[in-house]
Amino acid sequence: FEIDMYSSCIFRQTPPRKDMYKELREMQNHNWAQRCIGKGANMAKLGDFAKAISCYDQALDLEPRNVEAFVHKGAARVHMKMYAEAIREFNAALKLEPNREDVRQYLLGAREKLHEFDDTESGGTYSLQGSVRRANSLGADSDSSETPSAHSAAYHKQL
């Protein structure tokens, strides 16, 4: 009976910790989510925002607290003129990372677009109150007076 050096290693190793499974799964999910976000960004660059959103949804399925997935998804929704939904995505990102100034700027840009959209939809009648009500119902602050369209435009060009 002979044991080679490779099989003898097995007996010297300590068994894996039970909590390693969870750590490993979280790392894998994070890496897969990042890949989905990258694929979504590529789809957005090609102008296929529906597929991009699908990729961001996959990322969020893998890692529900992925701020970048929410931000990219919000940007894609802005491109699709789905401003209320974009506001919802940016608010979700801010709940997870409240100090992200870039996301605040994107949120303000989406609210600005929502106001413009409401103006167009109402046939030129200014409907700020309806926009503010809709944005507030999505969890947005209505007291900010900044208009960061330059910041949001810069982000959307990155996609």
Side-chain angles (χ1 to χ4, degrees), residues 30 33-34 37 56 59-60 63-75 89-104 106 155:
H30 176 75
Q34 291 305 110
I37 292 168
Y56 304 140
L60 289 166
E63 193 175 31
R65 299 179 56 83
N66 190 307
V67 173
E68 293 307 314
F70 282 116
V71 173
H72 280 76
K73 190 174 174 185
E89 304 301 342
F90 295 138
N91 279 325
L94 284 172
K95 278 186 180 180
L96 297 171
E97 288 188 21
N99 296 328
R100 287 277 303 262
E101 188 57 34
D102 59 331
V103 180
R104 287 190 188 287
Y106 305 143
Y155 179 78

mmCIF file of all heavy atoms in Angstrom, residues 30 33-34 37 56 59-60 63-75 89-104 106 155:
data_model
loop_
_atom_site.group_PDB
_atom_site.id
_atom_site.type_symbol
_atom_site.label_atom_id
_atom_site.label_comp_id
_atom_site.label_asym_id
_atom_site.label_seq_id
_atom_site.Cartn_x
_atom_site.Cartn_y
_atom_site.Cartn_z
ATOM 1 N N HIS A 30 -21.272 38.927 -6.714
ATOM 2 C CA HIS A 30 -20.775 40.275 -7.000
ATOM 3 C C HIS A 30 -20.058 40.305 -8.350
ATOM 4 O O HIS A 30 -20.304 41.192 -9.172
ATOM 5 C CB HIS A 30 -19.836 40.758 -5.894
ATOM 6 C CG HIS A 30 -19.223 42.088 -6.181
ATOM 7 N ND1 HIS A 30 -19.933 43.267 -6.076
ATOM 8 C CD2 HIS A 30 -17.975 42.428 -6.615
ATOM 9 C CE1 HIS A 30 -19.140 44.280 -6.425
ATOM 10 N NE2 HIS A 30 -17.952 43.791 -6.760
ATOM 11 N N ALA A 33 -22.573 39.927 -11.093
ATOM 12 C CA ALA A 33 -23.360 41.162 -11.215
ATOM 13 C C ALA A 33 -22.557 42.222 -11.966
ATOM 14 O O ALA A 33 -23.096 42.924 -12.830
ATOM 15 C CB ALA A 33 -23.766 41.667 -9.829
ATOM 16 N N GLN A 34 -21.263 42.337 -11.653
ATOM 17 C CA GLN A 34 -20.424 43.308 -12.353
ATOM 18 C C GLN A 34 -20.360 42.993 -13.851
ATOM 19 O O GLN A 34 -20.379 43.901 -14.684
ATOM 20 C CB GLN A 34 -19.018 43.332 -11.753
ATOM 21 C CG GLN A 34 -18.962 43.907 -10.345
ATOM 22 C CD GLN A 34 -19.578 45.295 -10.260
ATOM 23 O OE1 GLN A 34 -20.631 45.482 -9.669
ATOM 24 N NE2 GLN A 34 -18.937 46.267 -10.855
ATOM 25 N N ILE A 37 -23.570 44.173 -15.400
ATOM 26 C CA ILE A 37 -23.567 45.627 -15.536
ATOM 27 C C ILE A 37 -22.725 46.033 -16.742
ATOM 28 O O ILE A 37 -23.126 46.894 -17.534
ATOM 29 C CB ILE A 37 -23.072 46.304 -14.243
ATOM 30 C CG1 ILE A 37 -24.084 46.091 -13.121
ATOM 31 C CG2 ILE A 37 -22.812 47.795 -14.461
ATOM 32 C CD1 ILE A 37 -23.571 46.471 -11.744
ATOM 33 N N TYR A 56 -29.222 44.816 -16.228
ATOM 34 C CA TYR A 56 -29.169 45.424 -14.898
ATOM 35 C C TYR A 56 -30.091 44.687 -13.932
ATOM 36 O O TYR A 56 -29.768 44.526 -12.754
ATOM 37 C CB TYR A 56 -29.519 46.909 -14.956
ATOM 38 C CG TYR A 56 -28.646 47.696 -15.911
ATOM 39 C CD1 TYR A 56 -29.174 48.695 -16.713
ATOM 40 C CD2 TYR A 56 -27.276 47.434 -16.027
ATOM 41 C CE1 TYR A 56 -28.379 49.415 -17.596
ATOM 42 C CE2 TYR A 56 -26.472 48.139 -16.912
ATOM 43 C CZ TYR A 56 -27.038 49.126 -17.693
ATOM 44 O OH TYR A 56 -26.244 49.836 -18.569
ATOM 45 N N ALA A 59 -28.270 41.693 -12.784
ATOM 46 C CA ALA A 59 -27.297 42.080 -11.758
ATOM 47 C C ALA A 59 -27.980 42.248 -10.404
ATOM 48 O O ALA A 59 -27.461 41.794 -9.379
ATOM 49 C CB ALA A 59 -26.586 43.368 -12.161
ATOM 50 N N LEU A 60 -29.154 42.865 -10.410
ATOM 51 C CA LEU A 60 -29.876 43.084 -9.149
ATOM 52 C C LEU A 60 -30.438 41.784 -8.588
ATOM 53 O O LEU A 60 -30.590 41.648 -7.378
ATOM 54 C CB LEU A 60 -30.971 44.129 -9.339
ATOM 55 C CG LEU A 60 -30.435 45.548 -9.534
ATOM 56 C CD1 LEU A 60 -31.521 46.476 -10.041
ATOM 57 C CD2 LEU A 60 -29.822 46.067 -8.247
ATOM 58 N N GLU A 63 -27.301 40.467 -6.936
ATOM 59 C CA GLU A 63 -26.814 41.319 -5.837
ATOM 60 C C GLU A 63 -27.813 42.466 -5.651
ATOM 61 O O GLU A 63 -27.656 43.535 -6.224
ATOM 62 C CB GLU A 63 -25.416 41.843 -6.178
ATOM 63 C CG GLU A 63 -24.696 42.450 -5.036
ATOM 64 C CD GLU A 63 -23.269 42.848 -5.404
ATOM 65 O OE1 GLU A 63 -22.989 43.196 -6.564
ATOM 66 O OE2 GLU A 63 -22.438 42.811 -4.488
ATOM 67 N N PRO A 64 -28.847 42.243 -4.849
ATOM 68 C CA PRO A 64 -29.944 43.218 -4.724
ATOM 69 C C PRO A 64 -29.539 44.587 -4.196
ATOM 70 O O PRO A 64 -30.287 45.543 -4.354
ATOM 71 C CB PRO A 64 -30.919 42.547 -3.745
ATOM 72 C CG PRO A 64 -30.588 41.105 -3.791
ATOM 73 C CD PRO A 64 -29.114 41.020 -4.099
ATOM 74 N N ARG A 65 -28.375 44.730 -3.617
ATOM 75 C CA ARG A 65 -27.944 46.016 -3.061
ATOM 76 C C ARG A 65 -26.835 46.645 -3.906
ATOM 77 O O ARG A 65 -26.041 47.424 -3.417
ATOM 78 C CB ARG A 65 -27.492 45.837 -1.614
ATOM 79 C CG ARG A 65 -28.625 45.327 -0.715
ATOM 80 C CD ARG A 65 -28.189 45.110 0.713
ATOM 81 N NE ARG A 65 -27.620 46.283 1.330
ATOM 82 C CZ ARG A 65 -28.301 47.283 1.898
ATOM 83 N NH1 ARG A 65 -29.611 47.233 1.919
ATOM 84 N NH2 ARG A 65 -27.682 48.305 2.436
ATOM 85 N N ASN A 66 -26.808 46.339 -5.195
ATOM 86 C CA ASN A 66 -25.770 46.853 -6.085
ATOM 87 C C ASN A 66 -26.166 48.248 -6.575
ATOM 88 O O ASN A 66 -27.022 48.402 -7.450
ATOM 89 C CB ASN A 66 -25.550 45.900 -7.260
ATOM 90 C CG ASN A 66 -24.340 46.271 -8.064
ATOM 91 O OD1 ASN A 66 -24.196 47.406 -8.510
ATOM 92 N ND2 ASN A 66 -23.468 45.302 -8.272
ATOM 93 N N VAL A 67 -25.535 49.243 -6.017
ATOM 94 C CA VAL A 67 -25.859 50.634 -6.323
ATOM 95 C C VAL A 67 -25.628 50.942 -7.802
ATOM 96 O O VAL A 67 -26.447 51.609 -8.441
ATOM 97 C CB VAL A 67 -25.043 51.587 -5.426
ATOM 98 C CG1 VAL A 67 -25.230 53.034 -5.836
ATOM 99 C CG2 VAL A 67 -25.436 51.401 -3.974
ATOM 100 N N GLU A 68 -24.531 50.452 -8.355
ATOM 101 C CA GLU A 68 -24.217 50.753 -9.758
ATOM 102 C C GLU A 68 -25.287 50.207 -10.700
ATOM 103 O O GLU A 68 -25.606 50.834 -11.711
ATOM 104 C CB GLU A 68 -22.834 50.212 -10.137
ATOM 105 C CG GLU A 68 -21.707 50.916 -9.424
ATOM 106 C CD GLU A 68 -21.742 52.432 -9.567
ATOM 107 O OE1 GLU A 68 -21.946 52.948 -10.673
ATOM 108 O OE2 GLU A 68 -21.549 53.116 -8.546
ATOM 109 N N ALA A 69 -25.856 49.061 -10.377
ATOM 110 C CA ALA A 69 -26.926 48.510 -11.210
ATOM 111 C C ALA A 69 -28.141 49.438 -11.194
ATOM 112 O O ALA A 69 -28.754 49.695 -12.242
ATOM 113 C CB ALA A 69 -27.309 47.106 -10.733
ATOM 114 N N PHE A 70 -28.494 49.970 -10.015
ATOM 115 C CA PHE A 70 -29.612 50.910 -9.929
ATOM 116 C C PHE A 70 -29.321 52.187 -10.722
ATOM 117 O O PHE A 70 -30.200 52.700 -11.415
ATOM 118 C CB PHE A 70 -29.911 51.273 -8.469
ATOM 119 C CG PHE A 70 -30.681 50.229 -7.722
ATOM 120 C CD1 PHE A 70 -30.118 49.565 -6.643
ATOM 121 C CD2 PHE A 70 -31.989 49.907 -8.081
ATOM 122 C CE1 PHE A 70 -30.823 48.601 -5.945
ATOM 123 C CE2 PHE A 70 -32.704 48.940 -7.379
ATOM 124 C CZ PHE A 70 -32.123 48.287 -6.311
ATOM 125 N N VAL A 71 -28.098 52.682 -10.623
ATOM 126 C CA VAL A 71 -27.736 53.925 -11.303
ATOM 127 C C VAL A 71 -27.786 53.731 -12.820
ATOM 128 O O VAL A 71 -28.379 54.537 -13.547
ATOM 129 C CB VAL A 71 -26.348 54.425 -10.851
ATOM 130 C CG1 VAL A 71 -25.899 55.616 -11.675
ATOM 131 C CG2 VAL A 71 -26.372 54.782 -9.375
ATOM 132 N N HIS A 72 -27.176 52.657 -13.301
ATOM 133 C CA HIS A 72 -27.194 52.393 -14.741
ATOM 134 C C HIS A 72 -28.621 52.158 -15.247
ATOM 135 O O HIS A 72 -28.992 52.614 -16.327
ATOM 136 C CB HIS A 72 -26.322 51.180 -15.064
ATOM 137 C CG HIS A 72 -24.871 51.483 -15.135
ATOM 138 N ND1 HIS A 72 -24.091 51.679 -14.014
ATOM 139 C CD2 HIS A 72 -24.046 51.631 -16.193
ATOM 140 C CE1 HIS A 72 -22.857 51.926 -14.388
ATOM 141 N NE2 HIS A 72 -22.793 51.903 -15.700
ATOM 142 N N LYS A 73 -29.400 51.451 -14.464
ATOM 143 C CA LYS A 73 -30.794 51.193 -14.855
ATOM 144 C C LYS A 73 -31.569 52.505 -14.921
ATOM 145 O O LYS A 73 -32.368 52.721 -15.844
ATOM 146 C CB LYS A 73 -31.430 50.222 -13.849
ATOM 147 C CG LYS A 73 -32.777 49.704 -14.260
ATOM 148 C CD LYS A 73 -33.251 48.651 -13.265
ATOM 149 C CE LYS A 73 -34.664 48.221 -13.556
ATOM 150 N NZ LYS A 73 -35.183 47.296 -12.531
ATOM 151 N N GLY A 74 -31.336 53.391 -13.971
ATOM 152 C CA GLY A 74 -31.984 54.699 -13.998
ATOM 153 C C GLY A 74 -31.600 55.489 -15.237
ATOM 154 O O GLY A 74 -32.435 56.118 -15.885
ATOM 155 N N ALA A 75 -30.311 55.452 -15.591
ATOM 156 C CA ALA A 75 -29.846 56.171 -16.779
ATOM 157 C C ALA A 75 -30.497 55.611 -18.044
ATOM 158 O O ALA A 75 -30.916 56.368 -18.927
ATOM 159 C CB ALA A 75 -28.328 56.083 -16.884
ATOM 160 N N GLU A 89 -35.350 54.378 -9.591
ATOM 161 C CA GLU A 89 -34.053 53.690 -9.568
ATOM 162 C C GLU A 89 -33.001 54.526 -8.826
ATOM 163 O O GLU A 89 -32.242 53.997 -8.015
ATOM 164 C CB GLU A 89 -33.568 53.389 -10.988
ATOM 165 C CG GLU A 89 -34.523 52.589 -11.842
ATOM 166 C CD GLU A 89 -34.905 51.220 -11.309
ATOM 167 O OE1 GLU A 89 -34.195 50.688 -10.434
ATOM 168 O OE2 GLU A 89 -35.910 50.677 -11.770
ATOM 169 N N PHE A 90 -32.958 55.821 -9.138
ATOM 170 C CA PHE A 90 -31.980 56.688 -8.471
ATOM 171 C C PHE A 90 -32.254 56.777 -6.971
ATOM 172 O O PHE A 90 -31.322 56.802 -6.162
ATOM 173 C CB PHE A 90 -31.963 58.078 -9.103
ATOM 174 C CG PHE A 90 -31.480 58.083 -10.538
ATOM 175 C CD1 PHE A 90 -32.117 58.857 -11.485
ATOM 176 C CD2 PHE A 90 -30.395 57.313 -10.941
ATOM 177 C CE1 PHE A 90 -31.675 58.879 -12.805
ATOM 178 C CE2 PHE A 90 -29.944 57.318 -12.255
ATOM 179 C CZ PHE A 90 -30.590 58.101 -13.186
ATOM 180 N N ASN A 91 -33.518 56.817 -6.589
ATOM 181 C CA ASN A 91 -33.856 56.836 -5.155
ATOM 182 C C ASN A 91 -33.421 55.545 -4.472
ATOM 183 O O ASN A 91 -32.951 55.579 -3.329
ATOM 184 C CB ASN A 91 -35.356 57.071 -4.954
ATOM 185 C CG ASN A 91 -35.715 58.528 -5.056
ATOM 186 O OD1 ASN A 91 -34.949 59.388 -4.654
ATOM 187 N ND2 ASN A 91 -36.874 58.819 -5.611
ATOM 188 N N ALA A 92 -33.576 54.416 -5.160
ATOM 189 C CA ALA A 92 -33.131 53.137 -4.589
ATOM 190 C C ALA A 92 -31.620 53.162 -4.363
ATOM 191 O O ALA A 92 -31.129 52.688 -3.327
ATOM 192 C CB ALA A 92 -33.523 51.985 -5.515
ATOM 193 N N ALA A 93 -30.884 53.722 -5.307
ATOM 194 C CA ALA A 93 -29.430 53.831 -5.159
ATOM 195 C C ALA A 93 -29.077 54.723 -3.970
ATOM 196 O O ALA A 93 -28.173 54.402 -3.186
ATOM 197 C CB ALA A 93 -28.803 54.376 -6.439
ATOM 198 N N LEU A 94 -29.795 55.835 -3.832
ATOM 199 C CA LEU A 94 -29.509 56.762 -2.728
ATOM 200 C C LEU A 94 -29.880 56.183 -1.374
ATOM 201 O O LEU A 94 -29.269 56.539 -0.358
ATOM 202 C CB LEU A 94 -30.224 58.097 -2.957
ATOM 203 C CG LEU A 94 -29.580 58.990 -4.009
ATOM 204 C CD1 LEU A 94 -30.461 60.190 -4.303
ATOM 205 C CD2 LEU A 94 -28.186 59.434 -3.577
ATOM 206 N N LYS A 95 -30.850 55.300 -1.316
ATOM 207 C CA LYS A 95 -31.172 54.646 -0.042
ATOM 208 C C LYS A 95 -29.996 53.794 0.422
ATOM 209 O O LYS A 95 -29.742 53.685 1.623
ATOM 210 C CB LYS A 95 -32.417 53.773 -0.180
ATOM 211 C CG LYS A 95 -33.706 54.523 -0.080
ATOM 212 C CD LYS A 95 -34.877 53.583 -0.085
ATOM 213 C CE LYS A 95 -36.168 54.366 0.010
ATOM 214 N NZ LYS A 95 -37.344 53.477 0.014
ATOM 215 N N LEU A 96 -29.301 53.195 -0.538
ATOM 216 C CA LEU A 96 -28.168 52.343 -0.203
ATOM 217 C C LEU A 96 -26.900 53.144 0.072
ATOM 218 O O LEU A 96 -26.109 52.776 0.931
ATOM 219 C CB LEU A 96 -27.921 51.341 -1.332
ATOM 220 C CG LEU A 96 -29.051 50.354 -1.580
ATOM 221 C CD1 LEU A 96 -28.804 49.560 -2.850
ATOM 222 C CD2 LEU A 96 -29.211 49.423 -0.384
ATOM 223 N N GLU A 97 -26.707 54.216 -0.691
ATOM 224 C CA GLU A 97 -25.528 55.076 -0.514
ATOM 225 C C GLU A 97 -25.971 56.537 -0.559
ATOM 226 O O GLU A 97 -25.892 57.190 -1.594
ATOM 227 C CB GLU A 97 -24.481 54.796 -1.605
ATOM 228 C CG GLU A 97 -23.778 53.479 -1.448
ATOM 229 C CD GLU A 97 -22.634 53.309 -2.418
ATOM 230 O OE1 GLU A 97 -22.107 54.317 -2.941
ATOM 231 O OE2 GLU A 97 -22.263 52.149 -2.666
ATOM 232 N N PRO A 98 -26.442 57.054 0.567
ATOM 233 C CA PRO A 98 -27.011 58.408 0.607
ATOM 234 C C PRO A 98 -26.029 59.536 0.281
ATOM 235 O O PRO A 98 -26.456 60.626 -0.068
ATOM 236 C CB PRO A 98 -27.525 58.557 2.041
ATOM 237 C CG PRO A 98 -27.302 57.278 2.727
ATOM 238 C CD PRO A 98 -26.527 56.372 1.846
ATOM 239 N N ASN A 99 -24.751 59.297 0.366
ATOM 240 C CA ASN A 99 -23.768 60.363 0.134
ATOM 241 C C ASN A 99 -23.267 60.428 -1.296
ATOM 242 O O ASN A 99 -22.311 61.158 -1.568
ATOM 243 C CB ASN A 99 -22.585 60.203 1.096
ATOM 244 C CG ASN A 99 -23.007 60.369 2.534
ATOM 245 O OD1 ASN A 99 -23.915 61.126 2.839
ATOM 246 N ND2 ASN A 99 -22.362 59.648 3.419
ATOM 247 N N ARG A 100 -23.885 59.717 -2.210
ATOM 248 C CA ARG A 100 -23.436 59.722 -3.599
ATOM 249 C C ARG A 100 -23.969 60.959 -4.312
ATOM 250 O O ARG A 100 -25.115 61.020 -4.738
ATOM 251 C CB ARG A 100 -23.934 58.464 -4.344
ATOM 252 C CG ARG A 100 -23.250 57.178 -3.976
ATOM 253 C CD ARG A 100 -21.948 56.980 -4.722
ATOM 254 N NE ARG A 100 -22.067 57.011 -6.153
ATOM 255 C CZ ARG A 100 -22.141 55.939 -6.925
ATOM 256 N NH1 ARG A 100 -22.115 54.736 -6.398
ATOM 257 N NH2 ARG A 100 -22.232 56.070 -8.239
ATOM 258 N N GLU A 101 -23.130 61.967 -4.418
ATOM 259 C CA GLU A 101 -23.531 63.237 -5.037
ATOM 260 C C GLU A 101 -23.850 63.054 -6.520
ATOM 261 O O GLU A 101 -24.764 63.702 -7.038
ATOM 262 C CB GLU A 101 -22.437 64.288 -4.842
ATOM 263 C CG GLU A 101 -22.840 65.679 -5.274
ATOM 264 C CD GLU A 101 -24.085 66.206 -4.572
ATOM 265 O OE1 GLU A 101 -24.305 65.885 -3.384
ATOM 266 O OE2 GLU A 101 -24.851 66.945 -5.233
ATOM 267 N N ASP A 102 -23.113 62.180 -7.201
ATOM 268 C CA ASP A 102 -23.384 61.965 -8.621
ATOM 269 C C ASP A 102 -24.795 61.430 -8.833
ATOM 270 O O ASP A 102 -25.511 61.871 -9.729
ATOM 271 C CB ASP A 102 -22.349 61.034 -9.265
ATOM 272 C CG ASP A 102 -22.281 59.666 -8.608
ATOM 273 O OD1 ASP A 102 -22.564 59.552 -7.392
ATOM 274 O OD2 ASP A 102 -21.910 58.702 -9.311
ATOM 275 N N VAL A 103 -25.234 60.528 -7.949
ATOM 276 C CA VAL A 103 -26.584 59.970 -8.075
ATOM 277 C C VAL A 103 -27.623 61.048 -7.782
ATOM 278 O O VAL A 103 -28.669 61.110 -8.438
ATOM 279 C CB VAL A 103 -26.767 58.744 -7.157
ATOM 280 C CG1 VAL A 103 -28.170 58.166 -7.284
ATOM 281 C CG2 VAL A 103 -25.728 57.674 -7.481
ATOM 282 N N ARG A 104 -27.342 61.920 -6.827
ATOM 283 C CA ARG A 104 -28.257 63.047 -6.553
ATOM 284 C C ARG A 104 -28.416 63.912 -7.794
ATOM 285 O O ARG A 104 -29.510 64.371 -8.114
ATOM 286 C CB ARG A 104 -27.738 63.902 -5.404
ATOM 287 C CG ARG A 104 -27.881 63.272 -4.062
ATOM 288 C CD ARG A 104 -27.568 64.278 -2.947
ATOM 289 N NE ARG A 104 -27.538 63.609 -1.690
ATOM 290 C CZ ARG A 104 -28.613 63.167 -1.052
ATOM 291 N NH1 ARG A 104 -29.800 63.327 -1.574
ATOM 292 N NH2 ARG A 104 -28.499 62.555 0.104
ATOM 293 N N TYR A 106 -28.026 62.950 -10.925
ATOM 294 C CA TYR A 106 -28.821 62.205 -11.919
ATOM 295 C C TYR A 106 -30.295 62.236 -11.556
ATOM 296 O O TYR A 106 -31.161 62.384 -12.424
ATOM 297 C CB TYR A 106 -28.344 60.762 -12.028
ATOM 298 C CG TYR A 106 -26.873 60.622 -12.320
ATOM 299 C CD1 TYR A 106 -26.130 59.597 -11.751
ATOM 300 C CD2 TYR A 106 -26.203 61.517 -13.148
ATOM 301 C CE1 TYR A 106 -24.779 59.468 -11.998
ATOM 302 C CE2 TYR A 106 -24.845 61.397 -13.395
ATOM 303 C CZ TYR A 106 -24.146 60.370 -12.825
ATOM 304 O OH TYR A 106 -22.806 60.238 -13.069
ATOM 305 N N TYR A 155 -23.239 61.828 -17.578
ATOM 306 C CA TYR A 155 -23.344 60.430 -17.186
ATOM 307 C C TYR A 155 -23.933 59.596 -18.299
ATOM 308 O O TYR A 155 -23.446 58.523 -18.614
ATOM 309 C CB TYR A 155 -24.202 60.284 -15.927
ATOM 310 C CG TYR A 155 -24.339 58.832 -15.527
ATOM 311 C CD1 TYR A 155 -23.310 58.179 -14.866
ATOM 312 C CD2 TYR A 155 -25.463 58.119 -15.870
ATOM 313 C CE1 TYR A 155 -23.411 56.854 -14.539
ATOM 314 C CE2 TYR A 155 -25.569 56.786 -15.538
ATOM 315 C CZ TYR A 155 -24.535 56.164 -14.878
ATOM 316 O OH TYR A 155 -24.643 54.845 -14.555
#
